[in-house]
Amino acid sequence: MSKPRYRAAQSAGSADDVEAAFYEALQAGDIDQLMACWADEDDIVCVHPGGPRLVGAAAIRQAFEAMFAAGSIRAYPERLRRLDALGAAVHNVLERIELVTAEGTQRAWVVATNVYLKTAQGWRLAAHHASPGRAEVAEVTQPGQLLH
C-alpha cells in the first residue's frame, strides 16, 4: 500500500480512500494498516462468509490475523454501488477473490457491504459484512419505477 494513500485514507481522505486502503491492506496481508481503516468504536462489526458476527476491534483483529497466517487475501472490489449521506457512506461491492491452487488461479465471488462513518479522525470503516456470491448470478438489477 502506498503511504500517501494510506495517510489520506486516515485523515482528510474520502470513504473511497479508506476502501482502497482496506483492500490494499488485505492484499498485502498488513494487519496494522487494515486495522487503521476501522473506526475507534466499541461496536464496529465484521462478518466473514459463513462466519459469526465479530464485534469490536480485538475480535476483528484476531480473525484477520488468523486469515493472514495463511497469507494475504487477494480480494479485489468490483461493481461498486454506493449510497452517501452527510456522515455515512454505504458501499456494496462484488469482491473477486483469487486463490492460487495446483490447477492454477481459481476465482470466487463474495458480496460485501462496507459502511463508513465520518469521524473526528476522518472516514473510517464501521462495518464489513460479506456473503458468498456466485459468478453466474453476481448481480440482479431491475429498472426502478418512479415512486412519486
Side-chain angles (χ1 to χ4, degrees), residues 128-142:
H128 172 75
H129 188 270
S131 299
R134 296 188 337 222
E136 66 273 11
V137 187
E139 181 175 318
V140 176
T141 306
Q142 252 183 327

Side-chain angles (χ1 to χ4, degrees), residues 9 14-24 77 80 82 91-93 114 116:
S14 66
D16 290 334
D17 293 331
V18 176
E19 186 153 88
F22 176 74
Y23 284 101
E24 287 173 4
L80 169 64
R82 76 169 49 86
H91 292 188
N92 185 269
V93 298
N114 300 316
Y116 301 92

Side-chain angles (χ1 to χ4, degrees), residues 100-125:
V100 180
T101 68
E103 294 80 37
T105 301
Q106 304 294 315
R107 289 193 174 87
W109 294 92
V110 171
V111 180
T113 300
N114 300 316
V115 178
Y116 301 92
L117 299 177
K118 179 88 177 201
T119 71
Q121 293 78 34
W123 286 94
R124 296 291 179 96
L125 183 61

